[in-house]
């Protein structure tokens, strides 16, 4: 008779950790392939189709990068909150409020030179996103109110509010009855560099800044300690309330900046659909990146391939884009499960062998 | 007014099932944030099974199986593989949303068969249905609503009057103590997570099969998240969940009511009400300090027997 014995591993070498994660992703692709097969499509056509659809031509690669940019910036924002064990599910709402503030500046401030205008829009967006994150952070810090539900409810309120503006007071008279906010003037749109709007430069800079902030500054250290254990943080004399609020201002500010980038460079206006689910997908990418800013860059690019590939197969193979959503779910299920094999090893205990030999 | 309240009961039903389901799950110490996804999985599988067979029981069975299967994934990852419950629950919601959207692609706009509509026809309960005011509001409803009342009573009795219910409480409060006293912690967690998930899915199926009786994409529209908040509002008590579900059911249909009364408020402002009210409720309930209103002590914490 045998039974299993689960033992916590000592630190596993980094290399083996990544081998286990890679295996998990391979397994998830295999099972996703089986799902695709069960749905009546050929996975050997779908997967290569997704890759060529995302990277095959220069235009498609551009599309993939355009999807990666908001994902990277939002993931960085989510990462700062998650590091602190603060479940910011409100990325969508923070993105929208950021876009709203940027649109207000773009449509109401006149006669500014382009760089000043763009900086002002970015600042307004970061403040608005920050405020939208500050509200739940304040209640969490002062009264221990559950932040998961609070941030999530604020998403819905932001969506309804922007929809209200889009269909009501902010509807452009020139849009011939369409519920559309006026298009931004030229000095309010982000310039391009190498054919792609400079959001990609911003994203790269932010990856480095967030990495340094989390790993090499006092505030970043405090955020990590609060995330590990509130008791330790309190014992060390940290002001937990202020750590939560500062971290959430940064988190919401980054999400708000995503809103400005999307409104200014992609939509060139304000629309309720502008957040495009990035606030939710960023939760997955931030987690898959093990809350590491550098890893966020690569994970988000991989996810952008999945997203762009998903919309490509929809057009070229008539496969609904929802398949890509399911694939995201399946991949994350496997990666979540694989963490167990990184943290624990399973020993087989035989009854007649003394316990100590196994342990 | 009676008509509005009767509609409130119907609008509250999906919330009641999902909230009760999540209470059962959380009582075992697991925080499953996948309610929205489970409701959507139940909504689509209930609709597909009901549409294809024309049999209401098959529809309900389809939903139950979908919910149990979805929460089994959650249970395996969080109980056996000890994955983070918050992230796993969110993943389940993303997966469920994609699943429902994909499965429902070819059903968009299709109407449920007449056999199912007949099954969920309003039934006037003898005697009870004749009580002034209460009768028209509560006792001239469809069978699913009566099942909802029954569920509240059943779950309350289970929690507070049975040995298993007491064991369940022990598992959620302190898995280590429950384990030491000989309760099979793993079985309790698995079983209650799956039952909870199946109830969430039934709530979703009620939306697609009865309330809408036609498949529309993303039919659940955030009610799963409101249910998660209602669990806190109800302080893990099924009877309070009943009250909360109808309050929120009422809020969700208030807009139509106001418009029919000639009061013109932008639909978008009225739409915000349930979400804003949820925020108010979680703020208010965080102020409650009474012992019986606290969440299960082990909620969200994975249980490692080896690290006891």
């Amino acid at each position: 008779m045998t039974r299993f014995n689960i033992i916590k591993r000592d630190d596993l070498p980094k290399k083996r950790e990544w081998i286990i994660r890679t295996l998990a992703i391979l397994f998830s692709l295999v099972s996703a392939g089986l799902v695709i097969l069960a749905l009546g499509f050929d996975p050997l056509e779908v997967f290569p189709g997704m890759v060529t659809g995302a990277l095959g031509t220069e235009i498609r690669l551009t599309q993939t990068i355009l999807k990666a940019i908001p994902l990277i910036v939002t993931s960085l924002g989510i990462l700062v909150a998650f590091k602190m064990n603060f479940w910011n599910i409100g990325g969508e709402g923070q993105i929208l409020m950021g876009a709203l503030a940027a649109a207000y500046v773009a449509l109401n401030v006149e006669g500014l030179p382009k760089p000043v205008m763009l900086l002002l829009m970015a600042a307004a967006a970061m403040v608005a996103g920050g405020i939208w994150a500050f509200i739940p952070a304040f209640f969490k810090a002062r009264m221990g109110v559950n932040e998961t539900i609070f941030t999530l409810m604020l998403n819905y309120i932001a969506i309804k509010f922007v929809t209200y503006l889009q269909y009501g007071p902010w509807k452009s008279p020139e849009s011939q009855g369409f519920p559309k906010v006026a298009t931004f003037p030229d000095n309010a749109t982000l310039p391009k560099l190498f054919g792609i709007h400079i959001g990609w430069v911003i994203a790269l800079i932010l990856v480095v800044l967030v990495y340094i902030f989390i790993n090499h500054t006092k505030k970043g250290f405090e955020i990590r300690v609060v995330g590990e254990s509130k008791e330790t943080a309190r014992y060390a004399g940290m002001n937990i309330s202020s750590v939560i609020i500062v971290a959430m201002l940064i988190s919401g500010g980054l999400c708000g900046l995503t809103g400005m980038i999307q409104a200014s460079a992609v939509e060139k206006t304000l629309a309720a659909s502008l957040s495009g689910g990035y606030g939710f997908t960023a939760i997955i990418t931030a987690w898959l990146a093990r809350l590491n800013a550098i890893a966020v860059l690569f994970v988000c690019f991989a996810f952008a391939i999945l997203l762009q590939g998903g919309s490509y197969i929809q057009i070229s193979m008539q496969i609904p884009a929802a398949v890509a959503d399911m694939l995201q779910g399946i991949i994350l299920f496997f990666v979540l499960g694989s963490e167990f094999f990184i943290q624990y090893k399973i020993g087989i205990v035989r009854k007649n062998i003394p316990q100590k030999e196994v342990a | 007014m009676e008509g509005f309240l009767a509609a409130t009961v119907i609008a509250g039903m999906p919330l009641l099932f999902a909230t009760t389901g999540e209470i059962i799950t959380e009582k075992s110490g697991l925080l499953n944030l996948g309610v929205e996804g489970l409701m959507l999985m139940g909504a689509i599988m209930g609709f597909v099974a009901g549409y294809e067979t024309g049999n209401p029981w098959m529809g309900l069975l389809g939903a139950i199986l979908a919910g149990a299967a979805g929460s089994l994934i959650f249970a395996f990852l969080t109980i056996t593989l000890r994955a983070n419950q918050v992230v796993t629950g969110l993943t389940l919601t993303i997966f469920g949303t994609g699943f429902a959207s994909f499965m429902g692609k070819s059903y968009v706009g299709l109407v449920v068969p007449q056999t199912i509509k007949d099954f969920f026809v309003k039934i006037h309960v003898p005697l009870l249905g004749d009580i002034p005011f209460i009768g028209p509001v509560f006792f001239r409803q469809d069978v699913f609503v009566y099942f909802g009342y029954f569920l509240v009573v059943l779950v309350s009795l289970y929690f507070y009057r049975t040995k298993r219910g007491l064991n369940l409480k022990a598992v959620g409060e302190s898995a280590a103590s429950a384990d030491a006293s000989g309760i099979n912690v793993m079985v309790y967690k698995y079983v209650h997570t799956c039952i909870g998930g199946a109830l969430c899915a039934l709530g979703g199926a009620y939306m697609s099969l009865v309330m809408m009786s036609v498949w529309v994409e993303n039919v659940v529209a955030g009610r799963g998240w409101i249910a998660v908040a209602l669990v806190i509002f109800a302080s893990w008590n099924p009877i309070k969940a009943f009250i909360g579900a109808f309050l929120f059911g009422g809020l969700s249909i208030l807009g139509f009511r106001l418009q029919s009364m000639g009061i013109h408020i932008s639909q978008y402002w009225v739409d915000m009400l349930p979400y804003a009210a949820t925020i108010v409720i979680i703020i208010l309930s965080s102020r409650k300090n009474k012992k019986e209103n606290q969440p299960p002590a082990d909620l969200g914490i994975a249980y490692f027997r080896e690290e006891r």
Side-chain angles (χ1 to χ4, degrees):
Chain A
M1 175 167 159
T2 58
R3 72 181 182 89
F4 295 109
N5 186 19
I6 298 163
I7 305 145
K8 190 145 193 164
R9 282 190 205 265
D10 301 328
D11 273 338
L12 200 62
K14 273 270 179 290
K15 207 174 127 197
R16 284 203 56 190
E17 250 184 56
W18 286 104
I19 290 174
I20 292 179
R21 283 198 190 103
T22 313
L23 275 177
I25 290 173
L26 282 180
F27 274 122
S28 67
L29 289 178
V30 170
S31 24
L34 291 175
V35 171
I36 292 173
L37 201 62
L39 297 172
F41 301 104
D42 181 1
L44 293 178
E45 263 177 58
V46 172
F47 285 136
M50 286 176 82
V51 175
T52 50
L55 307 171
T57 66
E58 203 171 307
I59 299 168
R60 290 179 200 159
L61 181 62
T62 307
Q63 285 300 319
T64 306
I65 294 172
L66 285 179
K67 287 191 164 72
I69 293 166
L71 208 48
I72 292 168
V73 180
T74 314
S75 303
L76 293 173
I78 299 288
L79 175 156
V80 174
F82 276 24
K83 267 279 177 213
M84 195 176 58
N85 248 326
F86 187 107
W87 301 105
N88 180 11
I89 317 296
E92 289 282 297
Q94 290 146 20
I95 292 172
L96 276 175
M97 294 316 272
L100 171 77
Y104 183 82
V105 172
L107 299 173
N108 291 288
V109 181
E110 277 168 29
L112 287 180
K114 192 163 182 154
V116 182
M117 180 67 155
L118 289 172
L119 282 175
L120 192 63
M121 284 166 67
M126 292 183 79
V127 170
I131 290 173
W132 214 237
F134 168 81
I135 304 168
F138 174 82
F139 281 100
K140 171 77 177 185
R142 286 298 153 86
M143 291 155 69
V145 175
N146 183 313
E147 77 278 12
T148 315
I149 295 163
F150 204 134
T151 48
L152 193 99
M153 292 296 130
L154 286 176
N155 285 344
Y156 289 105
I157 293 179
I159 292 168
K160 298 287 175 196
F161 186 56
V162 172
T163 315
Y164 161 74
L165 292 176
Q166 187 184 340
Y167 282 72
W170 285 25
K171 192 164 96 175
S172 165
E174 290 148 30
S175 64
Q176 287 142 3
F178 273 106
K180 220 182 146 298
V181 179
T183 308
F184 289 0
D186 190 50
N187 68 338
T189 52
L190 282 176
K192 286 186 176 181
L193 187 63
F194 303 128
I196 303 168
H197 70 77
I198 60 159
W200 68 270
V201 183
I202 300 174
L204 288 179
I205 294 171
L206 285 173
V207 165
V208 177
L209 286 182
V210 170
Y211 182 82
I212 294 172
F213 172 72
I214 292 286
N215 296 295
H216 298 289
T217 67
K218 181 160 173 279
K219 234 357 176 246
F221 174 72
E222 289 182 347
I223 288 172
R224 280 184 289 146
V225 174
V226 170
E228 294 278 334
S229 154
K230 287 216 167 69
E231 280 68 35
T232 311
R234 200 170 292 125
Y235 185 71
M238 292 174 192
N239 183 344
I240 296 178
S241 293
S242 101
V243 173
I244 291 179
I245 287 174
V246 168
M248 275 307 280
L249 282 174
I250 295 170
S251 176
L254 287 170
C255 293
L257 186 62
T258 305
M260 179 267 177
I261 293 172
Q262 294 303 94
S264 165
V266 180
E267 308 280 336
K268 300 191 167 57
T269 182
L270 175 69
S273 56
L274 161 153
S275 51
Y278 290 119
F280 290 114
T281 312
I283 295 166
I284 298 187
T285 45
W287 191 260
L288 282 181
R290 305 292 306 145
L291 305 184
N292 175 325
I294 308 291
V296 157
L297 187 65
F298 298 101
V299 173
C300 287
F301 189 71
F303 253 70
I305 293 175
L306 201 60
L307 291 176
Q308 169 61 21
S311 53
Y312 176 78
I313 57 168
Q314 182 172 24
I315 302 160
S316 68
M317 302 179 195
Q318 321 303 309
I319 298 172
V323 168
D325 288 344
M326 283 171 64
L327 290 186
Q328 288 178 27
I330 293 171
I331 291 174
L332 197 61
F333 280 144
F334 273 87
V335 176
L336 283 169
S338 76
E339 289 304 308
F340 174 79
F341 298 97
I342 291 170
Q343 283 179 20
Y344 302 92
K345 66 177 172 193
I346 303 171
I348 297 171
V349 185
R350 287 196 191 83
K351 232 185 176 176
N352 53 354
I353 296 173
Q355 194 78 22
K356 63 172 192 277
E357 275 192 40
V358 186
Chain B
M1 192 64 192
E2 279 167 6
F4 174 67
L5 287 178
T8 294
V9 171
I10 292 174
M13 262 309 134
L15 290 174
L16 178 67
F17 274 80
T19 308
T20 312
E22 181 67 5
I23 288 177
I24 295 174
T25 305
E26 290 194 14
K27 278 272 185 181
S28 75
L30 286 150
L31 177 67
N32 185 352
L33 293 182
V35 180
E36 177 85 5
L38 289 168
M39 285 181 84
L40 275 164
M41 288 168 79
I44 184 60
M45 287 323 280
F47 190 91
V48 170
Y51 184 88
E52 296 297 342
T53 62
N55 183 337
W57 293 105
M58 294 310 285
L60 296 177
L61 185 68
I64 289 174
L65 290 179
S71 44
L72 189 64
I73 300 176
F74 176 84
F76 178 69
L77 286 172
T78 57
I79 301 170
T80 302
L81 296 185
R82 302 165 190 182
N84 181 294
Q85 295 180 13
V86 173
V87 180
T88 309
L90 288 171
T91 308
L92 184 56
T93 289
I94 291 167
F95 174 78
T97 312
F99 179 81
S101 159
F102 175 78
M103 293 299 290
K105 243 336 170 264
S106 51
Y107 291 89
V108 172
L110 294 181
V111 182
V112 295
Q114 192 58 39
T115 44
I116 292 183
K117 284 187 177 169
D118 291 342
F119 182 79
F120 290 110
V121 78
K122 301 262 184 287
I123 301 165
H124 184 135
V125 180
L127 296 172
L128 288 173
D130 297 322
I131 304 171
F133 193 74
I134 291 180
V137 173
F138 290 105
F139 296 106
R140 295 181 196 172
Q141 301 283 11
D142 59 64
V143 304
F144 201 90
V145 175
Y146 299 128
F147 177 54
Y149 303 158
F150 178 66
L151 180 75
V152 172
V153 177
L154 192 74
V155 174
S156 300
L157 288 176
Y158 177 67
F159 280 175
Y160 305 118
R161 291 282 178 273
T162 67
K163 184 162 175 266
R164 284 222 170 87
L166 201 62
N167 287 350
L168 172 65
K169 191 176 174 182
V171 170
E173 293 293 342
S174 169
S177 317
D179 196 6
S181 71
I183 298 168
N184 193 332
V185 172
M186 292 298 159
V187 169
Y188 266 82
K189 282 178 184 278
Y190 262 97
V191 168
H192 290 92
T193 303
C194 288
I195 294 175
L199 287 175
C200 294
L202 277 177
Y206 185 69
M207 296 205 67
S208 60
L209 285 174
V210 187
M211 284 169 70
M212 301 287 175
S213 22
V214 54
W215 180 252
V216 268
E217 185 141 330
N218 200 12
V219 60
V220 177
R223 281 177 182 77
W225 293 105
I226 293 181
V228 175
L230 278 177
V231 172
I232 302 173
F233 167 78
S235 50
W236 293 266
N237 178 331
I239 295 172
K240 287 188 195 163
F242 184 82
I243 300 166
F246 296 122
L247 276 176
F248 275 75
L251 279 181
S252 66
I253 56 170
L254 191 64
F256 302 111
R257 179 75 183 172
L258 288 176
Q259 272 171 0
S260 66
M261 282 161 61
I263 300 170
H264 288 291
I265 305 175
S266 165
Q267 179 63 35
Y268 306 106
W269 290 104
V270 181
D271 285 349
M272 281 183 205
L273 273 177
Y275 308 114
T278 306
I279 290 175
V280 172
I281 276 171
I282 54 169
I283 292 174
L284 291 181
S285 33
S286 76
R287 299 181 68 96
K288 284 192 276 190
N289 290 317
K290 275 191 271 173
K291 200 160 163 271
E292 66 263 32
N293 288 336
Q294 294 303 310
D298 268 4
L299 186 62
I301 302 165
Y303 173 56
F304 305 160
R305 187 180 223 173
E306 297 80 8
E307 290 170 13
R308 193 169 50 189

